[in-house]
Amino acid sequence: NTKENLWYSKQLAAQSGLKTFFVVSERWHLYRALMYARREGMDAEPAAVDKSSLGNPIATFGYLIHEIIAIYGIVFKGS
């Protein structure tokens, strides 16, 4: 879970005094991951991974729909 991973990362980093983060994810997921990080108050920079799991158009469409719904939830429902 991206949201939980960012929360735990922030807690661990605070114990070591770290304040800046790189959010590493595939390009199709990076926008949402950065939204979560910034909502947690993290100073986060994107780091895209080019090794994509998107191989065929049907999978790509499915991931796109998933991300749109999730971003809608963040923006309009605060989740």
Side-chain angles (χ1 to χ4, degrees), residues 26-73:
E26 294 188 68
R27 291 184 192 279
W28 55 265
H29 179 61
L30 196 52
Y31 181 79
R32 181 166 56 108
L34 280 174
M35 288 179 77
Y36 280 135
R38 292 182 177 143
R39 282 186 149 220
E40 282 292 329
M42 299 168 79
D43 180 13
E45 293 294 326
V49 177
D50 285 332
K51 184 173 174 127
S52 179
S53 59
L54 304 180
N56 66 52
I58 294 172
T60 301
F61 183 74
Y63 285 123
L64 176 64
I65 296 300
H66 175 84
E67 290 300 307
I68 289 169
I69 292 169
I71 290 168
Y72 175 85

Side-chain angles (χ1 to χ4, degrees), residues 9-31:
S9 295
K10 183 180 175 185
Q11 305 311 309
L12 290 171
Q15 295 173 6
S16 301
L18 300 173
K19 298 180 192 245
T20 304
F21 301 84
F22 282 102
V23 176
V24 180
S25 186
E26 294 188 68
R27 291 184 192 279
W28 55 265
H29 179 61
L30 196 52
Y31 181 79

